[in-house]
Amino acid sequence: SYIGTPLKYYFMDMGLRNLDIMMGLEDKVKYDVIDFINGKCKLKDAILKDPDGNNLSLLPATEDITKVLDADKFNLLIDYLRKLFDYIVIDSPAGIEEGFLNSTINIDKALVVVNQDKSSITDANRVIDILDLLEIKDVGIVINRYTNLKGDYFNIEDVYRLLGCNPIQGLIRESDIVVKYTNKGIIPSKIRGTEFAEDIELLVDNILTGNNIELDYSFPEYNKRENTSGLIGSIIGKILNKKRGN
């Protein structure tokens, strides 16, 4: 979706830390984000460019990034990168622990990726509740591995209702080309003419324009059920204080 545009995109890998493999760049990695933070290299030496020469960059991560890159350092890093790139996409760690919370400090929008099963919906609801507590209001939903099969799967309207009527901005249909091409180090969305590429294209367009997937009908506002307390609540308090400059 970014191919042929003048905008500069940056991927920050804080999730599975394997985006370099998916992009076919694992042999090019010399430095990572921690090396840059610690002053061992310049940013230009750590950043990897899309091998196809497009306007996509990746800063590789390390296994212990969430332990080394605390909230203050992460905030400074994002401020620095904002000056260089038009869009910064952060692949957040799974779960709702400190790594995830730190990655929300300096963001404008959150995308919650969910499957059509009960466990995924439950986890997504917890994430949305925390984003709400963090005062992150621009939240979109992406349904991954989407299927229209009936049975144990929630349909689109169910997902919309169960996730608090947050807008659904993307449906990524189940496709075997994802494994096929990522194993070859090729980004699947570059394979033109496939359903997967079309779905990613629409998702990006919706994000940039603020459009959403149209539903057959709408639901009344849904009141979120849970609040978060304890350790996570205390971390959220610290993050909010940082956002407000306290």
Side-chain angles (χ1 to χ4, degrees):
S1 298
Y2 55 83
I3 297 173
T5 72
L7 300 175
K8 293 183 291 185
Y9 299 83
Y10 167 85
F11 281 174
M12 185 164 188
D13 188 3
M14 293 188 64
L16 295 175
R17 296 171 290 276
N18 63 353
L19 288 180
D20 56 327
I21 297 174
M22 296 180 68
M23 294 175 64
L25 295 171
E26 65 270 27
D27 295 334
K28 305 291 184 182
V29 177
K30 293 182 179 179
Y31 301 102
D32 56 48
V33 61
I34 301 303
D35 292 322
F36 169 65
I37 290 293
N38 291 334
K40 294 182 179 180
C41 67
K42 296 180 179 180
L43 183 63
K44 66 180 182 65
D45 297 322
I47 282 184
L48 302 177
K49 297 286 188 179
D50 185 333
D52 290 337
N54 296 301
N55 46 349
L56 171 65
S57 300
L58 169 70
L59 186 56
T62 58
E63 291 295 330
D64 59 350
I65 184 173
T66 56
K67 298 178 181 178
V68 177
L69 196 62
D70 61 23
D72 290 328
K73 291 179 179 178
F74 186 83
N75 196 32
L76 290 172
L77 175 62
I78 297 302
D79 279 340
Y80 182 77
L81 292 170
R82 282 180 183 271
K83 301 173 184 177
L84 305 175
F85 297 93
D86 297 295
Y87 288 92
I88 300 170
V89 181
I90 302 170
D91 180 18
S92 174
I96 53 174
E97 297 178 350
E98 192 166 1
F100 158 72
L101 295 170
N102 285 344
S103 68
T104 66
I105 291 175
N106 196 349
I107 63 173
D108 302 307
K109 179 182 182 66
L111 288 174
V112 178
V113 182
V114 64
N115 295 335
Q116 295 165 266
D117 61 82
K118 183 176 181 180
S119 175
S120 183
I121 295 293
T122 300
D123 291 344
N125 248 324
R126 296 179 67 193
V127 169
I128 291 170
D129 284 340
I130 291 174
L131 292 173
D132 188 47
L133 290 172
L134 290 169
E135 301 176 358
I136 298 169
K137 303 304 180 184
D138 191 354
V139 177
I141 306 300
V142 178
I143 302 179
N144 195 28
R145 305 183 68 177
Y146 170 75
T147 177
N148 58 6
L149 294 176
K150 296 181 179 180
D152 295 330
Y153 298 101
F154 290 116
N155 62 33
I156 301 174
E157 286 77 17
D158 289 335
V159 174
Y160 176 74
R161 174 177 55 84
L162 292 169
L163 294 183
C165 299
N166 285 285
I168 296 178
Q169 294 200 287
L171 296 175
I172 312 301
R173 285 169 284 187
E174 180 78 71
S175 174
D176 58 4
I177 78 162
V178 176
V179 173
K180 177 181 178 180
Y181 285 101
T182 52
N183 284 343
K184 297 178 180 179
I186 299 173
I187 300 175
S189 58
K190 290 183 179 181
I191 309 303
R192 297 299 181 179
T194 64
E195 289 184 346
F196 184 80
E198 292 173 359
D199 292 346
I200 295 296
E201 189 81 30
L202 179 59
L203 169 61
V204 173
D205 286 345
N206 284 344
I207 292 170
L208 297 181
T209 61
N211 292 330
N212 306 311
I213 301 295
E214 293 187 6
L215 303 179
D216 292 334
Y217 54 92
S218 60
F219 296 87
E221 283 299 313
Y222 168 77
N223 294 321
K224 296 181 175 60
R225 302 178 302 278
E226 300 177 7
N227 286 319
T228 306
S229 59
L231 175 61
I232 292 176
S234 65
I235 296 174
I236 288 174
K238 293 179 182 178
I239 291 174
L240 289 175
N241 286 334
K242 289 180 184 296
K243 283 186 171 183
R244 295 165 181 162
N246 297 329

